[in-house]
Amino acid sequence: MYPALKKEIEVYEKRTPKSSAALKKSWPFMPLGVSSNFRSYEPYPLFIAEAQGARLRDLDGNDYVDFALCFGAIMAGHAHPAVVKAVQEQLKRGTMYGMPHEMERELAEEIIKRYPVENVRFSNSGTEATMHAIRLARGFTGRDKIIKFEGCYHGVHDAAMVSVKPKPEKWGSASAPNQVPASAGIVGWENTLVAIFNDLPSVERLFEKHKSQVAALILEPVPMNIGVCMPQPGFLEGLRDLCTKHGALLIFDEVKTGAKLGRGGACEYFKIKPDMVCLAKSIGGGFPLAAFGAAARSWTPSRKARSSTPELTTPIR
Ligand SMILES: Cc1ncc(COP(=O)(O)O)c(C=O)c1O
């Protein structure tokens, strides 16, 4: 280990004994002692006691400036007074009804004002939003395959858990990466084709090789998992054209970029109109809320989809 890093870890361990003890306590009850593999790191993760605005406080009372803001979910800051007030007021009126509420329409309208979509359906997590969007694209087109980019993350459902962070020995060729399921238990990974971000020919090759089989291309317009990588000029436009040419739907996973790159997320920032948009994190302000949106009526379902999924042609009421 580098001496400078060793020294930092010694300081960390001296300042945070309660986090170390908390991990030991939770270890027997949860895998790695945490609720997500992302939260496990050496020598042990910080356990947070509370947070306010841009600051986090750990169990030992150390304060930190929070540059991550829960991957952007807390864009307004921790415990923002407006959010706390609105939630407190709503708590008194009940939290779940299992029936429609007017606030759903209000939020749907707000999303439609900002993003190039006409219909919105809500869900609980970014995982659900991308899962629904992919299923909708498959049902609509009657095709099974999707394209995603190597190293990119779209949640933990099977179609997305391919080539997220593959081990180097599994990468395969630099121009045609392998499809690598992220763990055991993933089925149907053969239908997730893997291209390279900012490499239009790698996408074109997949469309040509799997002609008329690709339902959708899903991407994070600025992928975080591969290092907050900006799309090169013309790349997103090229993807838009390829999807249109091959009858596949373009899905923008704006779980992170949404409401951050601009009021209308990456769609507004890059002036691209995808066929579907997935939102989560910041739209929930720290609560489990997500959404996916699409055009309402401009699509013509493929013949195969029409015959196999008649409900898709039912008018939206
Ligand atoms: C781009 C992207 N898509 C989807 C997801 C999944 O969202 P969730 O954790 O709400 O399931 C994430 C989560 O970090 C994400 O960054």
Side-chain angles (χ1 to χ4, degrees), residues 229-298:
C229 189
M230 284 300 266
Q232 282 168 6
F235 180 64
L236 297 178
E237 289 80 357
L239 296 180
R240 175 65 281 178
D241 290 347
L242 280 174
C243 285
T244 305
K245 178 176 164 196
H246 291 277
L249 304 185
L250 180 64
I251 304 174
F252 268 17
D253 174 352
E254 294 228 40
V255 164
K256 283 211 186 82
T257 53
K260 294 191 206 82
L261 274 177
R263 272 172 64 84
C267 297
E268 179 185 274
Y269 188 86
F270 294 112
K271 299 187 176 50
I272 301 283
K273 188 178 180 319
D275 297 296
M276 276 192 252
V277 176
C278 301
L279 299 163
K281 299 207 186 290
S282 63
I283 67 161
F287 292 87
L289 178 66
F292 62 103
R297 288 155 225 266
S298 55

Side-chain angles (χ1 to χ4, degrees), residues 166-183:
K167 294 207 164 75
E169 62 272 20
K170 301 212 166 154
W171 286 348
S173 128
S175 57
N178 290 335
Q179 298 157 270
V180 186
S183 77

Side-chain angles (χ1 to χ4, degrees), residues 146-261:
I146 61 158
I147 298 175
K148 77 177 278 285
F149 290 103
E150 187 180 40
C152 292
Y153 180 68
H154 301 289
V156 291
H157 56 94
D158 283 10
M161 288 284 277
V162 180
S163 297
V164 176
K165 203 176 179 183
K167 294 207 164 75
E169 62 272 20
K170 301 212 166 154
W171 286 348
S173 128
S175 57
N178 290 335
Q179 298 157 270
V180 186
S183 77
I186 290 172
V187 296
W189 56 267
E190 304 86 349
N191 283 325
T192 300
L193 310 172
V194 180
I196 298 161
F197 194 75
N198 273 336
D199 181 346
L200 219 41
S202 77
V203 182
E204 205 160 6
R205 275 196 295 276
L206 290 177
F207 271 123
E208 290 300 332
K209 186 169 170 197
H210 302 273
K211 256 197 185 326
S212 305
Q213 294 177 63
V214 178
L217 185 156
I218 186 165
L219 79 151
E220 199 183 1
V222 183
M224 197 202 89
N225 244 34
I226 58 170
V228 192
C229 189
M230 284 300 266
Q232 282 168 6
F235 180 64
L236 297 178
E237 289 80 357
L239 296 180
R240 175 65 281 178
D241 290 347
L242 280 174
C243 285
T244 305
K245 178 176 164 196
H246 291 277
L249 304 185
L250 180 64
I251 304 174
F252 268 17
D253 174 352
E254 294 228 40
V255 164
K256 283 211 186 82
T257 53
K260 294 191 206 82
L261 274 177

Side-chain angles (χ1 to χ4, degrees), residues 59-83:
L59 291 183
D60 290 281
N62 300 302
D63 282 344
Y64 305 86
V65 177
D66 185 1
F67 286 101
L69 292 170
C70 205
F71 300 103
I74 312 286
M75 279 302 280
H78 294 280
H80 190 285
V83 176

Side-chain angles (χ1 to χ4, degrees), residues 6-72:
K6 191 163 172 274
K7 201 168 144 216
E8 286 302 323
I9 288 177
E10 279 165 15
V11 172
Y12 180 89
E13 288 176 339
K14 208 179 256 171
R15 285 162 46 115
T16 58
K18 288 189 179 164
S19 287
S20 171
L23 185 72
K24 285 191 188 112
K25 255 162 80 183
S26 58
W27 193 269
F29 306 113
M30 298 190 286
L32 302 172
V34 292
S35 295
S36 159
N37 288 4
F38 285 113
R39 291 178 204 163
S40 171
Y41 51 85
E42 298 284 339
Y44 50 82
L46 284 179
F47 277 63
I48 300 305
E50 56 185 298
Q52 194 86 46
R55 290 188 180 269
L56 294 164
R57 180 163 297 166
D58 71 14
L59 291 183
D60 290 281
N62 300 302
D63 282 344
Y64 305 86
V65 177
D66 185 1
F67 286 101
L69 292 170
C70 205
F71 300 103

Side-chain angles (χ1 to χ4, degrees), residues 111-127:
I111 290 172
I112 289 163
K113 256 190 239 159
R114 297 183 185 206
Y115 294 85
V117 297
E118 294 163 336
N119 261 209
V120 172
R121 167 76 38 109
F122 294 106
S123 59
N124 298 295
S125 65
T127 289

